[in-house]
Amino acid sequence: MFDPCVWAFSHYKPFVQVDETWLYRKYMQILLITIAQDGNRNLLPIAFAIVESGNVESWESFLTNLW
């Protein structure tokens, strides 16, 4: 499932975007996601995490484990 992303990782631009979005209905949590873009402008997911709240501790843990 992630093989295309792993293969394209060596071609991504050295810029990543980190974002969060709320999950609703059954899952009342927050999705943290990091994406990059390759030379063909395709989006590549790098990492994601589902956390209980978007507080400083959640972000710190996510970013620490990302790098």
Side-chain angles (χ1 to χ4, degrees):
M1 182 163 130
F2 290 104
D3 286 342
C5 296
V6 172
W7 178 82
F9 189 74
S10 62
H11 304 287
Y12 84 102
K13 297 176 185 177
F15 177 78
V16 296
Q17 180 179 353
V18 181
D19 198 10
E20 74 176 7
T21 188
W22 290 88
L23 303 175
Y24 294 103
R25 295 194 180 133
K26 185 177 178 182
Y27 305 103
M28 300 298 293
Q29 297 160 325
I30 298 173
L31 172 67
L32 305 177
I33 188 162
T34 305
I35 61 170
Q37 193 177 48
D38 68 3
N40 292 330
R41 298 172 65 171
N42 297 317
L43 297 177
L44 306 169
I46 297 175
F48 68 92
I50 298 174
V51 296
E52 293 296 323
S53 64
N55 57 21
V56 173
E57 291 82 18
S58 297
W59 275 105
E60 182 179 10
S61 174
F62 180 68
L63 294 174
T64 300
N65 290 314
L66 177 65
W67 304 115

